[in-house]
Amino acid sequence: MFEKSLTDLIRGIRANKKNEQKYIAACLQEIHQEIRSNDPDIKAQAVSKLTYLQMLGYDMSWASFHVVEVMSSAKFFQKLTGYLAATQSFRQDTDILMLTTNLLKKDLASGNHLEVGIALNGLSHIVTPDLARDLCQDLVSMLSHSRPYVRKKVVLVLYKLFLKFPEALRLSFPRLKERLDDSDPSVICAVVNVICELARKNPKNYLSLAPQLFKLLNTSSNNWMLIKIIKLFGALAPLEPRLAKKLLPPITQQIQTTAAMSLLYECIHTVIIGGILTSGGNSDALAAMCVNKLRIFLEDPDQNLKYVGLLALSKILPTYPKLVAENRDIILKCIDDHDISIRLRALDLVVGMVNKKNLTDIVKRLMSHLLPSNNNNESSTLPSTLLEPAYRADIINRIIFICSQNSYSNIVNFEWYIAVLVDLTSVAGINVGDLLTMQIMDVGIRVKSVRQYCVKAMQRLLSDSNLLENCKFPESNSEPGVTKLPHNVQAVYIQSSLKVYAFWANSLTYNWDEDSKQELLRFTEMIKNKISMFCSCTDLEVQERAYNAREIFSIIHQNLSMTSDTTYGVGNNIYASTNKSPSIISELYPLFFSYELNPVAPKAQKKVPVPEGLDLDAWINEPLPESENNESEEEEESYGHGYTHKFGGSGDLIFSSGSGTAIGRRRGRKSNKKGYDSEEDEETKEKRRKERNERIKNDPFYISSTGKDLSKHSKSDKSDNLSKRIPEEIDVDSIPVVRLTMDEFTFKTDKKTSKKSKASKKEKRHSPPPVPPVIYTDIGEMPENATLSDEEKDTTKTGHNKPVWNTIPSKSGGILDVDFSGVSNVDLSTPLGADEKFPSIAVYLAPEEVRRREEERVRRRVTERRIKQTQESTSRVKKNKSEKPKSKVSIEITPNTKSAEDNGEQSSKSKKVPKKKRTGETEDRKKKGKKDKGKKPKKKNSISDNATLEHNDNDVVVDPIKTLVDSDDIQVLYTLRLGSSTEAKNEAPAMIADFTVRNNCSYKHPLSKLTFAFESTTDIQFNKALIEIGELQHGEQKSVTIEFKVLGIVGAGLTVSGNITYEIQSDEETKTNRDIPIRFELPMAVFMLNMPKITPEEFKSCVSQTGDFPFTGSTSIRLNASINLVEHSFQNDVIRLISMATGTHIVEQVPGAITIYGRSVQGYQVAGLAKLTVEKNLMLVETEIPGSVQNTSVRIELKCTDQAFVDGLIREIDYLFRKDL
Amino acid sequence: NKQGQTRFSRYYSGMPIQAEERVLMEADIARKCLKRSDVQYGQYKLAYRRYASLFFVIGFDEEENHLSILELVQAYVEILNTYFDNVCELDIMFNIEKVHVILEEMVSNGRIVETNKHNVLAPVLEMNKASR
């Protein structure tokens, strides 16, 4: 009486806002008490409270059992509460679910349709594969329930069922299809819903429904359903081109007339994605109409319409870019929308719309989003999301993407682009630095004309104190702050400062006078001092460069001061005459600038063909510890490293020196240069080279000798020393590195657009097609004779990678756990095999089957298997007893002749007539009865024949001939064997089935048009699925052989199915067609190879490497104690059967145990141990056979290299023994 | 509701295993709706409508028709309105089972079953009678 009701609880929670946790904890305590109460009302109330708390985030899984109790309450209200709680709290792994099967069955059969309704709803939430299997029969029969209320729910629940238990789909689909013609619109709607969902997974199964759906499309007025139907057609249309044409008129009609925006949208969407546009005749008109309608969406003030409108537009964009472009104005308006999702969608579109003309405008708009501070009054109105870093980063990425796509083909003015990039750097708070750096460098490298501007911009950036707080750039370079930069930056920095210095010094030489000389002196002094601070750097690269640079500066300084001394000493007259800069300055310049640095494709190095006669492993010079060449190569390498590092993953460019034409260019420059001593021509070079080689030979410690060399002031020596640092200066032709030419470039400046590109286009094989002006479209320099095959290899590689990409699950991070794989694999196109039955039917007919399944299930779940199994078996016995009478009453008859045969005597009582015949005359049956009796002994004989055969030669099993069909017309026997060409491991094993057909017709009529038809499935593929035999006289016997490949996983339950059709003259005149479904399983043993016996020693060593046999399976077989000589029977029958079932041979046999070994076609190895155990356990006393105290069983353990295979073997052993003993 | 508290929730295809996780997710979704920031949550799209202080949010996958989902929300609210006679947050809080049942009638198994107001309400009313 004093319990809180749910309302009280809610009130209480609201009243205790401050200490809600505490209050709820107290309530939970109460609920714990209440839920154990015997009063169902209190219990239900507790559960309902718990459900509420569950919504607030409290765990209620502990109460599952109580929930089930409430569910089973007789009172409707309590039942409702219980189901609600169940749907909210139960999960797939809730154990209690197993208990609900019967409860659900009961509720589903209830006379109260409301109860049925809630049960169905509940089921849809809690259904598990087990539940699905057990209940699908009930549900399918409910499809024809008298109330539409129930029917529609059943239809929807079935969908969930299909997901959990895909076999059900095949079985119940015809029934489901009937419901499309239901009298109640909501039932139809439900069916359409379900089919639509199913068709999303595997549309081709549902093509056959098109006419029906088409009719609905034209007649129905239910918008919800129309949407679904249209969606469904959208999935179907790509599969059937004619459908698209047919759909065109009704869909156009809908688009024009419907008032519902959602339907309109769905129509347009389907038109776009369903490929209707591409196949229809007047598709342009339709597309235009769609886009016009979408424009209405965009103009609508409703955000949702805008959003979907943009979404649809972006889908139509790839096919009809022009139509979309017509709406540019409105799309651009959407970019400024305050709703971020609309913006993002609009951005998607904009990215696709960009062209040369509108690029500037669009980028400007985008920039305004990034830099709202420019416009103070605007920033206040912008929503906060605009300032979100992720959004801003996204915009920057998009800007860069639209600008750089197609090798900058849209950009006309690169100075503008650089300016944009520079502006982007000042956008605060986002980490896009790398991207921007890359872009700036990329543009700077590719576009020559813009370099100057670029450098200016960069300088401004560098001096921007906001950007690089500590770093102020040269002219007066080398601020102490630089040392704080990362090492790779420092390294580049030193090199660049040297370069800048050289350039500057050189520029001085044009106007050389005393002032500039003094300035140079002063500056050299300064920079020398500054650079020495890098000499103590911890990074080797920096250190080395710093030392080098310092030495260069000191040489220059010395040289300068020396000349200045002399000039001063001699007097002013000399000064006047020597209005010429010291040569060291002018010499410094070509060191850095004589060669053009061109981008080199990242793969260029690899593509350099090895020149003939070059042995890369041989020493180039005699084994000096550090040869010059090595060093320079190293250096070059490190350059490459530095840059590739910079460019990150997508960096396509590294630097290297151009040779070849570049050399020519340098010459030209040289001769032009004023004050350059032109005497340094090839001869002197040659001479110097020799000199140097001489020296190197004499001096093994070449590097450490630098200082010594420096002390010599011979000019040539100096320049030599200097040149040593720069790789390209040393005898270029002796380095077999990159042979690069300019002719692969197509660069032109804006002004001199000579149409050279066409000629050069052909030359470069690697460039993307469009060649806009001003741009290097090349991915970089390639060696001349780089082979195309490399590239091909690359493309194939990427092609290969693609599927891998695609397989990355797009729903990673998803929160739901639905697995559609099963349903999408179901194939509805093949007719239902007669053997395919709802499992619950099989329950009544083949107890063996159920028993096996149950056992399998139990085996999976239970760890203490043996105990459980015995319990199971006792319950099984009971079950059998209770089921047996049913099986007699049942009208449904299995057509599965195989299983009937397997069941042996038991099933001989049940009639084994193919489905079709069931409708035939009853006299058939009487005959059958006789026939079965007659057949029995015969079969036994055959088995015992086999047995003796086996027994005599105790090797590998001979495949016994099995009966496939044995009716009063025809008898089909078959044997299975391995195909011959199957030794190759990676090939799917081929099997050969030999059939022997015999006309058994009692009226002695011939059978005509006898045909075997097999179904190829995903697992089993027939080379030739149809075999015609033709006519068969009475008593005649013919053999057929059919070959097929087993593609699926070899494991339990691989079955081959098909039909035998024939005509038979039943009377004098009339011929009747008969159609007998056939089906047989592929036993594991068939896959075993006939291999020589191995010795016990070999076996031991083989098995001891347990890593080879990671998968195990085991079973125990109860031996009927009524067989007296258990020991004896073990030795004879059991062993034989085990060996037969597994296709293994016996390795060793000791009293009471054997070991077996075998190998399958696929290379799976199987090793096993079978042991006879005699237990005297009172708990397990057999109830079946009174009087026997002993419980004997054979325990078989198998180890295998494949799980499915071993499972299959175990199953077969179980099967075999149940059959035989 | 406006404070981001969940008043009512229903999942049709699995849900985060941990209760805490779910609460976090719901809060996250509510935040998104309140901020009008993003209509995407993981692989799901969110459609939401606001009625006074209440947000009705539905998550659905890429393939679903956005507009029809919004219309479903509308239909649902209309039906609640009819049933409760001017529905408000408190109605939903205190009659959570009814709300569940009504939704159950409209959406089963994640699919729309019934959108006809009368058809939805008829069994609910019957149930009410039956429970008494």
Side-chain angles (χ1 to χ4, degrees):
Chain A
M1 282 302 105
F2 300 103
E3 291 85 12
K4 282 199 201 78
S5 72
L6 175 60
T7 318
D8 294 333
L9 174 76
I10 297 166
R11 284 215 185 91
I13 291 172
R14 280 166 74 77
N16 291 284
K17 276 214 168 87
K18 277 177 193 150
N19 43 6
E20 213 178 87
Q21 300 281 341
K22 212 168 146 192
Y23 180 77
I24 289 175
C27 286
L28 275 172
Q29 280 299 322
E30 287 173 22
I31 290 169
H32 268 281
Q33 294 299 321
E34 289 168 18
I35 213 160
R36 292 201 187 89
S37 130
N38 286 324
D39 182 351
D41 281 323
I42 294 174
K43 203 186 261 287
Q45 198 170 68
V47 167
S48 83
K49 279 193 281 186
L50 208 50
T51 312
Y52 184 80
L53 291 179
Q54 192 265 353
M55 188 183 78
L56 297 182
Y58 294 86
D59 183 40
M60 68 173 286
S61 53
W62 53 270
S64 296
F65 183 75
H66 303 286
V67 170
V68 175
E69 279 183 321
V70 177
M71 271 164 83
S72 57
S73 155
K75 276 192 197 164
F76 180 74
F77 182 74
Q78 287 167 7
K79 198 180 265 305
L80 191 63
T81 312
Y83 271 104
L84 182 62
T87 58
Q88 292 288 70
S89 68
F90 283 6
R91 291 171 211 295
Q92 291 294 302
D93 51 1
T94 305
D95 298 334
I96 275 329
L97 275 176
M98 286 158 68
L99 298 177
T100 59
T101 314
N102 279 324
L103 173 64
L104 282 165
K105 269 194 195 224
K106 205 182 93 210
D107 284 345
L108 289 178
S110 156
N112 183 350
H113 68 280
L114 293 175
E115 259 175 42
V116 180
I118 56 170
L120 284 171
N121 270 333
L123 181 61
S124 77
H125 282 269
I126 62 178
V127 67
T128 61
D130 286 345
L131 274 178
R133 201 193 49 240
D134 295 342
L135 292 175
C136 73
Q137 175 65 12
D138 302 59
L139 286 171
V140 171
S141 61
M142 281 169 75
L143 275 175
S144 40
H145 197 274
S146 58
R147 279 178 186 267
Y149 175 79
V150 172
R151 287 204 299 271
K152 70 181 180 195
K153 294 211 164 185
V154 169
V155 168
L156 284 164
V157 171
L158 274 176
Y159 172 65
K160 190 72 169 259
L161 218 67
F162 297 153
L163 293 181
K164 299 288 177 195
F165 181 57
E167 293 97 280
L169 178 54
R170 257 174 83 79
L171 297 166
S172 59
F173 191 66
R175 301 289 299 277
L176 192 61
K177 219 156 77 176
E178 284 166 20
R179 288 300 112 207
L180 268 182
D181 300 323
D182 200 280
S183 55
D184 187 271
S186 33
V187 178
I188 301 177
C189 180
V191 178
V192 170
N193 257 318
V194 168
I195 292 176
C196 182
E197 283 308 311
L198 291 171
R200 272 168 56 181
K201 314 299 173 216
N202 186 3
K204 79 171 190 309
N205 277 340
Y206 308 95
L207 266 179
S208 61
L209 297 178
Q212 265 177 305
L213 293 168
F214 195 76
K215 204 176 79 202
L216 284 174
L217 177 64
N218 284 329
T219 54
S220 172
S221 59
N222 180 346
N223 280 344
W224 303 90
M225 194 165 87
L226 283 175
I227 287 175
K228 285 290 172 187
I229 294 178
I230 290 172
K231 200 187 275 293
L232 180 55
F233 274 124
L236 294 180
L239 293 170
E240 175 62 272
R242 282 171 299 170
L243 198 55
K245 244 176 216 154
K246 194 140 188 253
L247 282 174
L248 210 54
I251 289 187
T252 317
Q253 173 87 12
Q254 290 289 0
I255 293 177
Q256 277 162 344
T257 57
T258 184
M261 284 302 197
S262 51
L263 183 53
L264 176 60
Y265 171 69
E266 192 56 51
C267 289
I268 294 173
H269 187 251
T270 304
V271 165
I272 295 167
I273 63 157
I276 293 173
L277 279 180
T278 49
S279 53
N282 52 348
S283 53
D284 288 350
L286 181 60
M289 188 172 77
C290 289
V291 175
N292 282 339
K293 288 283 180 187
L294 287 175
R295 191 180 169 95
I296 298 174
F297 278 39
L298 296 187
E299 280 163 350
D300 200 279
D302 186 348
Q303 302 286 358
N304 295 307
L305 289 183
K306 261 188 203 168
Y307 179 86
V308 294
L310 290 168
L311 206 61
L313 272 182
S314 65
K315 280 178 181 152
I316 207 172
L317 186 67
T319 40
Y320 287 91
K322 265 195 194 144
L323 287 173
V324 179
E326 281 169 20
N327 296 306
R328 196 172 65 233
D329 51 334
I330 199 153
I331 294 168
L332 286 179
K333 225 177 271 168
C334 291
I335 293 188
D336 294 332
D337 198 280
H338 63 268
D339 187 329
I340 191 149
S341 2
I342 289 182
R343 274 173 183 232
L344 286 173
R345 291 288 85 75
L347 280 175
D348 285 342
L349 268 177
V350 161
V351 167
M353 272 173 19
V354 164
N355 60 27
K356 265 185 199 171
K357 283 175 205 153
N358 61 22
L359 176 81
T360 328
D361 191 38
I362 288 173
V363 173
K364 212 178 277 171
R365 263 175 188 272
L366 295 182
M367 295 284 284
S368 71
H369 288 183
L370 293 170
L371 309 162
S373 51
N374 296 346
N375 220 339
N376 285 334
N377 51 346
E378 194 196 354
S379 60
S380 55
T381 60
L382 286 168
S384 59
T385 47
L386 262 191
L387 301 170
E388 253 175 42
Y391 173 70
R392 292 145 69 93
D394 186 50
I395 289 206
I396 291 182
N397 280 326
R398 281 176 205 261
I399 290 178
I400 288 175
F401 175 76
I402 59 178
C403 290
S404 61
Q405 65 185 353
N406 287 334
S407 307
Y408 305 96
S409 60
N410 287 326
I411 299 183
V412 181
N413 183 350
F414 276 96
E415 293 195 9
W416 165 81
Y417 184 44
I418 293 285
V420 167
L421 288 176
V422 171
D423 284 347
L424 288 181
T425 55
S426 56
V427 176
I430 335 162
N431 185 19
V432 288
D434 287 346
L435 188 67
L436 289 172
T437 320
M438 237 185 73
Q439 277 292 306
I440 291 174
M441 291 182 73
D442 200 28
V443 173
I445 290 155
R446 286 171 185 246
V447 189
K448 272 209 154 174
S449 57
V450 88
R451 281 190 193 163
Q452 193 169 10
Y453 181 81
C454 184
V455 171
K456 260 185 217 155
M458 292 307 104
Q459 204 172 330
R460 211 169 49 233
L461 265 190
L462 285 166
S463 54
D464 182 350
S465 54
N466 287 332
L467 189 69
L468 301 166
E469 283 177 6
N470 296 321
C471 172
K472 295 211 171 162
F473 187 68
E475 220 28 57
S476 62
N477 45 16
S478 316
E479 292 296 312
V482 181
T483 45
K484 287 176 193 158
L485 291 171
H487 290 314
N488 59 347
V489 177
Q490 285 186 35
V492 176
Y493 179 85
I494 294 168
Q495 178 70 8
S496 334
S497 54
L498 196 57
K499 212 165 158 178
V500 168
Y501 171 82
F503 188 82
W504 173 73
N506 190 56
S507 68
L508 284 180
T509 62
Y510 296 107
N511 262 323
W512 186 254
D513 56 21
E514 196 54 36
D515 288 344
S516 46
K517 187 174 163 186
Q518 285 308 317
E519 198 184 330
L520 185 64
L521 256 177
R522 189 180 53 76
F523 188 71
T524 314
E525 176 74 37
M526 187 189 83
I527 201 168
K528 197 181 82 180
N529 294 337
K530 288 274 168 76
I531 211 104
S532 47
M533 76 185 172
F534 290 107
C535 296
S536 53
C537 179
T538 48
D539 188 74
L540 271 184
E541 178 75 21
V542 176
Q543 208 179 4
E544 192 196 336
R545 288 187 187 201
Y547 272 115
N548 276 325
R550 195 178 65 176
E551 286 317 310
I552 291 170
F553 286 132
S554 63
I555 292 161
I556 294 169
H557 193 254
Q558 266 174 356
N559 187 291
L560 277 177
S561 48
M562 199 174 69
T563 46
S564 71
D565 282 346
T566 51
T567 38
Y568 278 116
V570 175
N572 281 342
N573 54 338
I574 300 169
Y575 164 63
S577 64
T578 52
N579 193 5
K580 184 181 150 201
S581 60
S583 54
I584 188 163
I585 300 298
S586 38
E587 221 169 276
L588 195 60
Y589 179 78
L591 290 187
F592 295 102
F593 298 100
S594 51
Y595 302 122
E596 186 132 10
L597 288 178
N598 286 323
V600 171
K603 278 174 260 159
Q605 180 92 32
K606 246 190 276 170
K607 294 202 174 190
V608 179
V610 178
E612 254 179 75
L614 175 69
D615 181 6
L616 288 176
D617 295 329
W619 288 102
I620 296 174
N621 289 322
E622 284 313 295
L624 294 172
E626 278 277 30
S627 86
E628 187 176 13
N629 284 332
N630 283 354
E631 191 203 358
S632 58
E633 261 169 336
E634 256 167 42
E635 193 153 345
E636 192 159 352
E637 236 164 65
S638 63
Y639 274 52
H641 270 298
Y643 281 108
T644 35
H645 203 69
K646 273 253 161 76
F647 277 95
S650 56
D652 314 12
L653 306 167
I654 55 169
F655 289 87
S656 167
S657 61
S659 66
T661 49
I663 289 179
R665 181 173 300 211
R666 187 191 66 161
R667 293 256 167 71
R669 213 180 279 168
K670 262 187 208 164
S671 54
N672 289 340
K673 222 132 263 171
K674 186 181 149 195
Y676 187 85
D677 35 1
S678 52
E679 91 235 347
E680 197 187 32
D681 54 359
E682 202 59 29
E683 274 173 47
T684 47
K685 252 186 151 182
E686 194 63 37
K687 214 171 80 191
R688 278 194 283 133
R689 197 178 298 143
K690 274 179 196 156
E691 263 178 31
R692 192 173 54 221
N693 284 346
E694 201 84 14
R695 200 177 57 233
I696 292 164
K697 256 182 215 164
N698 297 337
D699 190 355
F701 306 103
Y702 182 62
I703 285 181
S704 62
S705 71
T706 334
K708 213 173 23 174
D709 288 336
L710 277 175
S711 59
K712 301 177 192 171
H713 286 292
S714 130
K715 195 167 73 180
S716 63
D717 264 353
K718 258 182 277 164
S719 62
D720 255 321
N721 274 316
L722 297 179
S723 68
K724 180 181 66 72
R725 275 201 64 260
I726 318 302
E728 40 277 64
E729 187 70 343
I730 350 148
D731 44 355
V732 184
D733 20 25
S734 73
I735 306 172
V737 193
V738 191
R739 178 162 270 281
L740 292 163
T741 51
M742 295 297 292
D743 54 5
E744 284 188 27
F745 276 115
T746 46
F747 75 89
K748 286 159 280 165
T749 48
D750 257 330
K751 270 124 210 179
K752 27 176 178 167
T753 329
S754 63
K755 284 281 174 191
K756 180 191 154 197
S757 70
K758 266 175 196 158
S760 59
K761 227 188 236 174
K762 280 165 200 160
E763 283 174 26
K764 47 179 180 117
R765 289 165 286 194
H766 309 288
S767 63
V771 187
V774 210
I775 304 159
Y776 293 106
T777 49
D778 257 329
I779 47 166
E781 278 190 357
M782 282 292 184
E784 279 168 335
N785 31 7
T787 42
L788 198 64
S789 63
D790 277 281
E791 174 134 294
E792 276 160 11
K793 226 182 282 163
D794 281 340
T795 52
T796 51
K797 211 190 265 172
T798 49
H800 200 70
N801 283 342
K802 252 185 187 165
V804 180
W805 260 46
N806 291 343
T807 52
I808 291 170
S810 54
K811 58 172 190 178
S812 59
I815 36 172
L816 303 189
D817 58 345
V818 188
D819 177 26
F820 294 110
S821 56
V823 169
S824 52
N825 288 336
V826 172
D827 180 21
L828 285 176
S829 55
T830 50
L832 272 181
D835 49 286
E836 287 181 274
K837 277 282 159 193
F838 290 107
S840 45
I841 299 175
V843 167
Y844 303 118
L845 274 180
E848 299 297 347
E849 181 81 358
V850 190
R851 195 195 293 178
R852 206 194 67 228
R853 279 206 177 137
E854 243 161 52
E855 248 179 18
E856 259 175 5
R857 224 187 320 160
V858 168
R859 200 179 302 132
R860 245 179 281 127
R861 291 210 187 109
V862 185
T863 43
E864 306 160 354
R865 183 175 21 73
R866 284 198 62 179
I867 296 166
K868 282 262 175 173
Q869 205 175 26
T870 39
Q871 284 171 353
E872 180 77 25
S873 69
T874 50
S875 73
R876 209 192 300 138
V877 171
K878 281 175 200 160
K879 214 174 190 172
N880 280 347
K881 279 178 183 165
S882 63
E883 273 165 7
K884 263 178 189 167
K886 270 186 202 163
S887 75
K888 279 173 194 161
V889 191
S890 84
I891 316 155
E892 294 267 4
I893 295 159
T894 179
N896 184 345
T897 47
K898 168 84 184 334
S899 79
E901 184 225 24
D902 284 342
N903 290 341
E905 278 113 313
Q906 236 173 339
S907 69
S908 67
K909 279 173 203 161
S910 77
K911 293 101 194 170
K912 37 178 196 166
V913 193
K915 199 174 188 177
K916 251 201 158 169
K917 288 194 148 183
R918 200 180 64 210
T919 53
E921 303 103 84
T922 40
E923 37 189 352
D924 266 12
R925 275 190 201 164
K926 287 176 194 164
K927 262 178 243 153
K928 266 222 83 220
K930 281 178 205 161
K931 203 158 195 150
D932 281 341
K933 273 173 205 161
K935 209 188 81 192
K936 222 192 314 172
K938 187 175 123 206
K939 211 171 81 183
K940 275 210 164 165
N941 283 343
S942 79
I943 282 179
S944 54
D945 278 351
N946 281 334
T948 46
L949 207 143
E950 296 284 306
H951 203 63
N952 292 342
D953 100 55
N954 197 340
D955 209 37
V956 179
V957 170
V958 179
D959 289 315
I961 297 168
K962 293 177 189 167
T963 314
L964 185 63
V965 181
D966 193 1
S967 71
D968 28 27
D969 300 336
I970 191 167
Q971 185 194 37
V972 182
L973 304 172
Y974 74 102
T975 56
L976 285 168
R977 59 190 161 91
L978 269 179
S980 50
S981 61
T982 52
E983 295 300 319
K985 270 187 190 173
N986 31 12
E987 217 175 276
M991 303 290 286
I992 293 173
D994 297 314
F995 295 94
T996 312
V997 206
R998 188 185 159 86
N999 186 345
N1000 262 2
C1001 183
S1002 43
Y1003 298 102
K1004 308 203 171 178
H1005 289 308
L1007 302 174
S1008 54
K1009 293 185 183 170
L1010 184 60
T1011 312
F1012 279 68
F1014 293 95
E1015 292 163 12
S1016 285
T1017 63
T1018 48
D1019 291 337
I1020 291 161
Q1021 200 184 25
F1022 288 93
N1023 296 340
K1024 193 182 160 205
L1026 210 69
I1027 292 188
E1028 285 176 34
I1029 297 171
E1031 210 166 80
L1032 205 61
Q1033 294 301 326
H1034 176 252
E1036 196 187 346
Q1037 195 169 313
K1038 274 190 181 175
S1039 298
V1040 209
T1041 303
I1042 191 156
E1043 207 177 312
F1044 54 90
K1045 281 190 172 165
V1046 181
L1047 305 173
I1049 300 162
V1050 175
L1054 267 180
T1055 51
V1056 175
S1057 51
N1059 293 39
I1060 300 177
T1061 53
Y1062 56 90
E1063 269 181 7
I1064 185 167
Q1065 223 158 1
S1066 48
D1067 306 313
E1068 293 306 311
E1069 271 101 45
T1070 50
K1071 283 186 173 181
T1072 45
N1073 286 320
R1074 290 277 160 85
D1075 187 341
I1076 305 179
I1078 51 172
R1079 179 182 162 95
F1080 54 90
E1081 282 194 32
L1082 298 181
M1084 294 291 122
V1086 177
F1087 292 98
M1088 301 304 284
L1089 286 175
N1090 199 340
M1091 57 175 290
K1093 250 182 147 177
I1094 59 170
T1095 64
E1097 286 72 36
E1098 275 170 339
F1099 178 78
K1100 249 176 223 162
S1101 69
C1102 180
V1103 177
S1104 61
Q1105 298 163 345
T1106 42
D1108 295 348
F1109 297 93
F1111 303 105
T1112 56
S1114 56
T1115 185
S1116 29
I1117 305 157
R1118 187 80 50 75
L1119 292 181
N1120 233 332
S1122 61
I1123 298 174
N1124 278 331
L1125 296 159
V1126 171
E1127 192 81 349
H1128 178 74
S1129 94
F1130 175 77
Q1131 299 294 18
N1132 293 323
D1133 302 343
V1134 178
I1135 287 171
R1136 175 180 57 78
L1137 283 167
I1138 291 170
S1139 167
M1140 196 169 101
T1142 54
T1144 53
H1145 62 73
I1146 293 159
V1147 178
E1148 200 176 9
Q1149 186 169 354
V1150 292
I1154 53 163
T1155 50
I1156 51 177
Y1157 180 79
R1159 190 191 284 267
S1160 83
V1161 169
Q1162 300 89 341
Y1164 304 141
Q1165 295 181 67
V1166 182
L1169 173 73
K1171 233 188 205 165
L1172 181 71
T1173 50
V1174 180
E1175 286 176 38
K1176 285 177 185 157
N1177 190 340
L1178 287 174
M1179 294 284 288
L1180 305 174
V1181 170
E1182 275 280 21
T1183 48
E1184 209 173 12
I1185 310 125
S1188 74
V1189 203
Q1190 285 187 340
N1191 175 29
T1192 50
S1193 63
V1194 178
R1195 187 172 161 73
I1196 299 164
E1197 279 180 30
L1198 292 181
K1199 286 179 169 185
C1200 182
T1201 47
D1202 185 82
Q1203 183 66 58
F1205 201 77
V1206 77
D1207 287 347
L1209 284 175
I1210 290 291
R1211 210 191 81 173
E1212 265 163 37
I1213 294 173
D1214 283 356
Y1215 213 60
L1216 193 79
F1217 277 85
R1218 218 138 280 141
K1219 182 176 96 185
D1220 257 60
L1221 296 180
Chain B
N1 67 2
K2 238 174 156 181
Q3 282 83 47
Q5 294 160 316
T6 311
R7 288 294 180 220
F8 166 68
S9 67
R10 196 99 169 106
Y11 295 83
Y12 286 98
S13 42
M15 54 174 127
I17 308 300
Q18 292 302 318
E20 301 90 60
E21 229 174 85
R22 184 169 55 86
V23 170
L24 282 181
M25 186 188 82
E26 279 165 7
D28 201 25
I29 289 172
R31 213 175 306 122
K32 280 192 167 171
C33 292
L34 283 169
K35 271 167 74 184
R36 312 174 123 264
S37 69
D38 203 351
V39 287
Q40 204 100 24
Y41 186 84
Q43 82 210 60
Y44 297 94
K45 293 210 165 187
L46 303 175
Y48 63 96
R49 262 191 166 183
R50 188 178 160 181
Y51 295 89
S53 64
L54 285 178
F55 285 88
F56 288 80
V57 190
I58 298 187
F60 53 95
D61 65 10
E62 196 65 45
E63 305 249 333
E64 211 55 61
N65 186 322
H66 311 239
L67 296 175
S68 69
I69 296 289
L70 281 174
E71 275 168 41
L72 175 72
V73 176
Q74 174 69 26
Y76 182 54
V77 175
E78 273 176 30
I79 288 167
L80 286 181
N81 216 15
T82 323
Y83 182 77
F84 288 109
D85 201 16
N86 242 337
V87 69
C88 68
E89 193 175 341
L90 287 180
D91 283 328
I92 293 177
M93 277 181 67
F94 287 109
N95 295 288
I96 190 114
E97 291 145 318
K98 302 277 159 46
V99 177
H100 269 293
V101 170
I102 294 174
L103 185 64
E104 228 36 335
E105 290 301 319
M106 289 183 69
V107 180
S108 172
N109 201 0
R111 318 280 149 226
I112 301 166
V113 207
E114 190 57 77
T115 48
N116 183 314
K117 212 183 278 184
H118 173 75
N119 285 354
V120 173
L121 287 180
V124 180
L125 296 172
E126 271 186 71
M127 277 184 211
N128 282 352
K129 265 185 222 156
S131 338
R132 263 172 223 133

